Amino acid sequence: GQQLNQSPQSMFIQEGEDVSMNCTSSSIFNTWLWYKQDPGEGPVLLIALYKAGELTSNGRLTAQFGITRKDSFLNISASIPSDVGIYFCAGPTTSGTYKYIFGTGTRLKVLA
Amino acid sequence: NAGVTQTPKFQVLKTGQSMTLQCAQDMNHNSMYWYRQDPGMGLRLIYYSASEGTTDKGEVPNGYNVSRLNKREFSLRLESAAPSQTSVYFCASSEGDASYSYEQYFGPGTRLTVT
């Protein structure tokens, strides 16, 4: 079945640094979603991407839909302590638009 | 506008007990979902309801049943709880196919422990 692999699994960065993470699949995706989950909370949608090559920003966050449709990237600029959390990529599978799969997440820690 | 709400927030069950997790959304969304999240893992789809009156299995449906009570509410039932069902359960909703929007919005989760 389709799988989403996220890297890195975890990262520790200094406040103010930029962050890059990615999500890859062996299958084509038509939609990429990026979520952030704070400890003890549900995931919150950050960015949605619908077209190959699309580049979308949300404040300090920028995400790109890879040209091959098999990957997506999320960048965070000038990180701050509240960026701490787990970042997930997700998308609807080709077997059905309601069947979403999620990556295993990138755990981000920001050192002040 | 509360978004997606879930009850209870925490629950401890003994093996073999049953319970129902409740979920409601006030965004007039057509589609609703139940996921489970195990430590260090992403979310896995248990069941979904594409629209009122329909339900279908996701990736890990065994041991669960669902009811789409109306457009707002989607419940998840554990008939005979097992320790393997210890997890955090999330409900989500989305507008659905009619709007070609695949953005899902999540509730705060129910933390279930089965002893």
Side-chain angles (χ1 to χ4, degrees), chain A residues 30-31 33 35 37-45 48 50 86 88 92 95-105 107, chain B residues 31 33 35 37 40-43 45 48 50 57-59 90 94 96-98 100-109 111:
Chain A
N30 293 318
T31 298
L33 306 171
Y35 288 88
Q37 185 176 28
D38 290 329
E41 303 291 331
V44 174
L45 182 65
Y50 292 100
I86 305 175
F88 291 102
S95 63
T97 54
Y98 299 99
K99 293 189 175 181
Y100 289 65
I101 61 171
F102 281 74
T104 51
R107 192 178 298 267
Chain B
S31 304
Y33 312 79
Y35 291 88
Q37 185 178 33
M41 297 184 68
L43 287 83
L45 182 64
Y48 65 93
K57 296 178 180 179
E59 181 185 356
F90 289 101
S94 68
D97 253 355
Y100 298 99
S101 168
Y102 301 108
E103 299 168 15
Q104 293 192 345
Y105 297 87
F106 285 81
R111 282 142 190 85

Side-chain angles (χ1 to χ4, degrees), chain B residues 3-73:
Chain B
V4 180
T5 57
Q6 292 183 236
T7 56
K9 289 190 176 181
F10 300 93
Q11 184 71 48
V12 178
L13 292 177
K14 293 186 177 179
T15 298
Q17 287 185 319
S18 62
M19 78 160 296
T20 300
L21 281 63
Q22 307 286 354
C23 173
Q25 51 90 11
D26 62 3
M27 296 175 281
N28 201 35
H29 283 172
N30 292 303
S31 304
M32 298 185 73
Y33 312 79
W34 277 104
Y35 291 88
R36 61 177 287 172
Q37 185 178 33
D38 298 310
M41 297 184 68
L43 287 83
R44 291 184 294 169
L45 182 64
I46 304 172
Y47 270 93
Y48 65 93
S49 171
S51 60
E52 186 179 356
T54 69
T55 61
D56 212 340
K57 296 178 180 179
E59 181 185 356
V60 288
N62 292 343
Y64 306 95
N65 284 301
V66 291
S67 295
R68 183 75 182 267
L69 304 172
N70 48 56
K71 191 172 186 179
R72 288 188 64 248
E73 298 172 288

Side-chain angles (χ1 to χ4, degrees), chain A residues 47-61:
Chain A
I47 293 177
L49 302 163
Y50 292 100
K51 291 182 182 179
E54 180 180 354
L55 189 70
T56 298
S57 293
N58 178 6
R60 294 179 295 105
L61 277 64

